[in-house]
């Protein structure tokens, strides 16, 4: 075989391998897009029960961030916790600072709960949705209601957003905000809310050290 033939054959092999590498990269890109995104959903945990119903598990809204560099943040009514995340094929593994391990499936731009390891009692997550920043536009001076009764008002006083409720859980309390996640604390209650769309909010409250939660699904009041 001539030298030129060897060279041509070698060039073809290089091009073929490059093509395979590009195809592999294309398959990886959708998975990597999870970085720097925020997701919300609900979780249930064995001991946490709905207020007034000791047999029903409370549905607690929560949020989580997959930060670039493999860092992870988890937002819930009790505060913020951190950890690390990684993805292999279509499985995301989250190692929390308390040594719990959460596994999620990420495929076609959607997240689904697989398992939680480490929690003393059953922990499950569901209704996971990617949060888009624009859903929280114009929430200042908005009112949210349940059963046709105005329940919660998000105010804008000075430079710090504040909140008041009709049920006297809080009055002009400062609100801490992370994209579409809101939480605040009064002398008697912890409060947490996730704005799930422009017109829908999941809200919970509890007394400190309590395992009973008040649950409310609110809609934005039309002015």
């Amino acid at each position: 075989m001539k030298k030129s033939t060897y060279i041509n054959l070698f060039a073809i092999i290089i091009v073929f391998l490059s093509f395979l590498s590009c195809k592999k990269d294309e398959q990886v890109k959708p998975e990597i897009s999870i970085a720097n995104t925020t997701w919300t959903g609900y979780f249930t945990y064995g001991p946490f029960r709905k207020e007034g119903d000791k047999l029903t598990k409370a549905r607690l809204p929560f949020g989580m961030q997959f930060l670039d560099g493999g860092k992870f943040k988890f937002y819930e009514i009790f505060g913020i916790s951190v950890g690390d995340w990684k993805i292999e094929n279509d499985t995301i593994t989250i190692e929390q600072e308390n040594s719990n391990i959460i596994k999620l499936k990420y495929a076609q731009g959607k997240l689904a709960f697989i398992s939680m390891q480490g929690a003393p009692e059953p922990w499950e997550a569901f209704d996971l949705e990617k949060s888009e920043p624009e859903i929280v536009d114009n929430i200042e001076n908005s009112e949210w209601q349940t059963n046709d009764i105005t329940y919660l008002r998000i105010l804008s006083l000075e430079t710090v957003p504040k909140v008041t409720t009709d049920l006297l859980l809080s009055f002009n309390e400062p609100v801490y905000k992370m994209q579409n996640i809101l939480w605040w604390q009064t002398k008697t209650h912890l409060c947490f809310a996730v704005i799930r769309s422009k017109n829908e909010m999941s809200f919970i409250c509890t007394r400190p050290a309590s395992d009973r939660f008040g649950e409310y699904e609110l809609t934005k009041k039309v002015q």
Side-chain angles (χ1 to χ4, degrees), residues 121-134:
E121 295 198 34
W123 190 102
E124 293 183 271
F126 48 94
D127 291 349
L128 302 177
E129 298 178 354
K130 185 179 178 182
S131 172
E132 303 297 345
E134 59 267 20

Side-chain angles (χ1 to χ4, degrees), residues 9-189:
L9 181 60
F10 181 76
I12 291 171
I13 292 173
I14 293 297
V15 170
F16 179 73
L17 292 175
S18 298
F19 174 78
L20 290 180
S21 177
C22 289
K23 294 297 289 182
K24 183 178 179 181
D25 289 343
E26 289 176 3
Q27 294 173 358
V28 171
K29 284 180 181 178
E31 296 183 339
I32 293 176
S33 66
I34 192 79
N36 293 318
T37 60
T38 299
W39 296 72
T40 61
Y42 297 91
F43 75 87
T44 58
Y45 178 57
F48 294 165
R49 301 292 166 169
K50 189 173 181 178
E51 193 171 61
D53 184 356
K54 64 181 181 180
L55 299 179
T56 302
K57 291 182 181 180
R59 285 165 40 101
L60 279 66
F62 73 98
M64 53 186 173
Q65 278 183 303
F66 298 92
L67 301 173
D68 199 13
K71 296 300 179 183
F72 175 82
K73 286 188 176 182
F74 188 91
Y75 299 84
E76 60 174 314
I77 190 169
F78 299 112
I80 305 171
S81 59
V82 299
D84 299 289
W85 71 276
K86 63 182 179 180
I87 185 167
E88 296 178 357
N89 297 323
D90 62 353
T91 300
I92 296 175
T93 301
I94 301 162
E95 296 186 10
Q96 296 181 291
E97 60 183 347
N98 61 2
S99 299
N100 287 348
I101 298 176
I102 302 173
K103 289 187 180 292
L104 306 170
K105 181 178 180 179
Y106 181 66
Q108 298 181 338
K110 296 182 179 181
L111 272 181
F113 174 74
I114 298 176
S115 65
M116 156 74 89
Q117 299 176 15
E121 295 198 34
W123 190 102
E124 293 183 271
F126 48 94
D127 291 349
L128 302 177
E129 298 178 354
K130 185 179 178 182
S131 172
E132 303 297 345
E134 59 267 20
I135 70 173
V136 294
D137 290 345
N138 303 318
I139 65 167
E140 293 182 351
N141 298 312
S142 62
E143 296 186 14
W144 301 76
Q145 61 187 30
T146 180
N147 297 328
D148 298 322
I149 299 173
T150 298
Y151 178 70
L152 184 147
R153 300 182 184 92
I154 299 175
L155 309 176
S156 177
L157 302 176
E158 301 173 350
T159 59
V160 180
K162 296 188 178 183
V163 67
T164 185
T165 70
D166 287 350
L167 299 186
L168 302 180
L169 296 181
S170 60
F171 180 72
N172 286 351
E173 296 290 344
V175 174
Y176 300 92
K177 176 177 174 293
M178 197 293 297
Q179 195 166 302
N180 64 322
I181 300 167
L182 311 171
W183 65 100
W184 62 97
Q185 182 172 355
T186 74
K187 293 181 179 179
T188 57
H189 286 78

